[in-house]
Amino acid sequence: VQLQASGGGLVQAGGSLRLSCAASKRIFSSGVMGWFRQAPGKDREFVAAIRWGGSSTRYADSVKGRFTISRDKSKNTVYLQMNSLKPEDTAVYYCATGWQYGSSWNDYAYWGQGTQVTVSS
């Protein structure tokens, strides 16, 4: 499966962005889709994940209450609504899919190309 992420850009602190990630094939109900991010010089870190079938979600503590992950089954697309953005949210954001409802990068088998999010202070 191929993943195409979009929606990144430059925004001021306190602003909002919505990222999208479209899958080239149908995601099975047992699947999971997640978002990770990687800032320059830092490791890739978990942001959020959603179960495709049941829609339960999980978030990193650093984004809880500010980011919302959702999905549209009819479009095979997952979204990440990011509100109250902070400069420390600046990173390349990657979407990924797999079968483990986890927060480790190796829980996910397929990755998108990444989209840059830059938050200015």
Side-chain angles (χ1 to χ4, degrees):
V1 61
Q2 293 182 331
L3 302 176
Q4 181 70 41
S6 61
L10 174 64
V11 64
Q12 288 188 333
S16 298
L17 281 175
R18 188 177 82 153
L19 306 183
S20 300
C21 176
S24 60
K25 297 181 179 179
R26 183 174 70 93
I27 304 298
F28 291 102
S29 294
S30 57
V32 176
M33 291 198 77
W35 287 97
F36 286 73
R37 66 187 182 186
Q38 188 166 19
K42 295 189 176 181
D43 293 335
R44 190 169 298 192
E45 66 172 353
F46 171 77
V47 175
I50 185 166
R51 288 190 186 273
W52 202 252
S55 76
S56 61
T57 59
R58 61 184 300 181
Y59 297 91
D61 288 343
S62 59
V63 306
K64 209 172 285 185
R66 299 188 298 123
F67 290 11
T68 302
I69 189 171
S70 61
R71 88 278 192 257
D72 184 333
K73 286 186 175 181
S74 67
K75 297 180 179 179
N76 292 326
T77 298
V78 66
Y79 303 98
L80 186 68
Q81 178 66 44
M82 306 186 294
N83 297 330
S84 302
L85 282 161
K86 304 175 182 180
E88 51 264 44
D89 294 318
T90 295
V92 177
Y93 283 70
Y94 298 89
C95 58
T97 189
W99 298 270
Q100 302 293 326
Y101 189 51
S103 59
S104 173
W105 66 269
N106 56 16
D107 290 327
Y108 297 81
Y110 301 95
W111 291 80
Q113 85 287 3
T115 184
Q116 176 71 46
V117 171
T118 303
V119 185
S120 63
S121 58

